[in-house]
Amino acid sequence: MYEAFYGLSGRPFSLLPDAEFLYLSEQHRKALNLLEYGMMTQAGFIVITGEVGAGKTTIVRRFIKTASPDLTLGVITNTNKSFGKVLTWVAMAFELDHRGRDYVKHFRRFQEFLLAQYAAGKRTVLIIDEAQNMTAAMLEELRMLSNINNEKDQLLQMVLVGQPELLTILQRPDLVQFVQRIAVHFNLAGLGLEETENYIVHRLGVKGGRADLFDHLACAAVHHFTGGIPRLINLLCDVALVYGYGNEMPRIDYDTVIDAVEDRARQGLSSFRAMPDGVDRVALKIKLAQGPIEPVVPAKRELRLLRNE
């Protein structure tokens, strides 16, 4: 719709995951570095958390794409509370035959697989996405699987990727032993103002767009209403471009972004932050011109890892 008007070769803010648009912020790079560090130090469990749309899947896909050839990777993406025995899904992740076996034979087959990989000079890594959907019992089953090792090396390393609810589950008293095995944890927060602007410029550039297509205050408004969450940035910028095109505006400005935010709020299905209480769009513009505004949010959910109390 708006691509030709703005000189774009395609939609720069599609919600579909596309490696063409890969943008690694400082914290995404840090998460990747910690993930790689955990691999090198044979961490039993690595946990990466973040809000919906924060870029967790981007981290996982980048890791898989650049993984060392001495890693044997298995990935579980469709976790839910009723998907049965975890070991069955682990076997499927590594393309092992799991049919017609009782649990003991199934476990022995998986143990033989890990030993064979180790003998071949390979390390086995299991990645579980959307891990917040797992129950405490499932997580405990994973912990038992992590006991398969020899005296020197960890035969199975696991990466759990999930929303903040995963931290709530891990805080349960009956999962203390599990938490003590988490060697690396990183929580992805939203992008800061500067990185939000860089992110917008980057995605526009991929499709041939001008770096200044969104002016500074427009970027500041996008950052404010999305909290710097990449998926929400894409959604708001895409809608703003539609509005800009409809009004034949050569650049996307602050008011265009506000129009998009307010219209979504009126329609009742907005994922964006609400306008601050007692502040209209003029007052907010003045505040954003002075710098980012800290939103009023509930206390952060934290996990105190590797702490014995």
Side-chain angles (χ1 to χ4, degrees), residues 129-250:
D129 202 1
E130 301 297 341
Q132 78 279 350
N133 295 327
M134 303 186 78
T135 64
M138 293 174 182
L139 292 170
E140 180 61 15
E141 189 174 348
L142 288 180
R143 185 184 71 82
M144 297 303 293
L145 290 180
S146 73
N147 288 332
I148 304 175
N149 53 45
N150 62 17
E151 295 180 356
K152 295 182 179 180
D153 299 300
Q154 187 80 37
L155 299 188
L156 176 64
Q157 294 179 263
M158 297 188 226
V159 180
L160 273 60
V161 183
Q163 297 168 27
E165 288 76 12
L166 175 60
L167 303 185
T168 302
I169 297 171
L170 291 173
Q171 288 174 330
R172 290 171 52 120
D174 54 337
L175 289 176
V176 169
Q177 292 187 66
F178 187 101
V179 171
Q180 289 176 346
R181 298 191 183 193
I182 299 173
V184 175
H185 169 234
F186 190 85
N187 186 67
L188 284 169
L191 303 178
L193 173 57
E194 183 177 354
E195 287 206 306
T196 295
E197 192 160 359
N198 291 339
Y199 176 86
I200 293 171
V201 170
H202 168 77
R203 293 192 69 107
L204 287 169
V206 171
K207 292 302 180 180
R210 303 190 338 256
D212 64 348
L213 183 51
F214 282 68
D215 69 28
H216 176 69
L217 277 178
C219 291
V222 169
H223 172 258
H224 176 78
F225 287 104
T226 65
I229 300 297
R231 186 179 301 170
L232 294 181
I233 294 173
N234 291 349
L235 178 59
L236 183 49
C237 286
D238 189 60
V239 175
L241 284 169
V242 174
Y243 280 43
Y245 166 74
N247 293 322
E248 297 186 348
M249 300 184 62

Side-chain angles (χ1 to χ4, degrees), residues 34-277:
L34 284 172
L35 183 52
E36 292 167 358
Y37 171 78
M39 290 295 107
M40 290 188 299
T41 57
Q42 299 190 46
F45 286 96
I46 298 168
V47 174
I48 297 176
T49 55
E51 296 290 349
V52 175
K56 302 181 298 297
T57 301
T58 298
I59 297 296
V60 171
R61 290 187 176 186
R62 178 58 177 260
F63 172 72
I64 292 174
K65 184 177 181 180
T66 61
S68 169
D70 69 347
L71 295 183
T72 297
L73 299 177
V75 182
I76 299 176
T77 59
N78 53 348
T79 57
N80 61 73
K81 291 180 172 60
S82 60
F83 76 172
K85 291 292 184 181
V86 171
L87 186 54
T88 300
W89 288 87
V90 172
M92 291 173 62
F94 291 108
E95 300 182 350
L96 301 177
D97 184 11
H98 61 281
R99 296 166 296 180
R101 297 173 183 266
D102 61 26
Y103 188 86
V104 174
K105 291 181 179 179
H106 201 170
F107 183 85
R108 185 177 302 136
R109 173 68 184 90
F110 183 60
Q111 187 176 40
E112 291 170 353
F113 167 76
L114 293 178
L115 290 170
Q117 295 300 307
Y118 180 74
K122 288 180 171 290
R123 290 175 291 146
T124 304
V125 179
L126 175 66
I127 300 172
I128 303 178
D129 202 1
E130 301 297 341
Q132 78 279 350
N133 295 327
M134 303 186 78
T135 64
M138 293 174 182
L139 292 170
E140 180 61 15
E141 189 174 348
L142 288 180
R143 185 184 71 82
M144 297 303 293
L145 290 180
S146 73
N147 288 332
I148 304 175
N149 53 45
N150 62 17
E151 295 180 356
K152 295 182 179 180
D153 299 300
Q154 187 80 37
L155 299 188
L156 176 64
Q157 294 179 263
M158 297 188 226
V159 180
L160 273 60
V161 183
Q163 297 168 27
E165 288 76 12
L166 175 60
L167 303 185
T168 302
I169 297 171
L170 291 173
Q171 288 174 330
R172 290 171 52 120
D174 54 337
L175 289 176
V176 169
Q177 292 187 66
F178 187 101
V179 171
Q180 289 176 346
R181 298 191 183 193
I182 299 173
V184 175
H185 169 234
F186 190 85
N187 186 67
L188 284 169
L191 303 178
L193 173 57
E194 183 177 354
E195 287 206 306
T196 295
E197 192 160 359
N198 291 339
Y199 176 86
I200 293 171
V201 170
H202 168 77
R203 293 192 69 107
L204 287 169
V206 171
K207 292 302 180 180
R210 303 190 338 256
D212 64 348
L213 183 51
F214 282 68
D215 69 28
H216 176 69
L217 277 178
C219 291
V222 169
H223 172 258
H224 176 78
F225 287 104
T226 65
I229 300 297
R231 186 179 301 170
L232 294 181
I233 294 173
N234 291 349
L235 178 59
L236 183 49
C237 286
D238 189 60
V239 175
L241 284 169
V242 174
Y243 280 43
Y245 166 74
N247 293 322
E248 297 186 348
M249 300 184 62
R251 295 181 71 192
I252 304 301
D253 62 9
Y254 167 84
D255 286 308
T256 304
V257 174
I258 297 298
D259 287 342
V261 170
E262 290 183 340
D263 284 354
R264 287 298 290 258
R266 279 193 290 268
Q267 291 161 12
L269 289 176
S270 178
S271 299
F272 309 126
R273 289 174 174 169
M275 184 75 77
D277 291 338

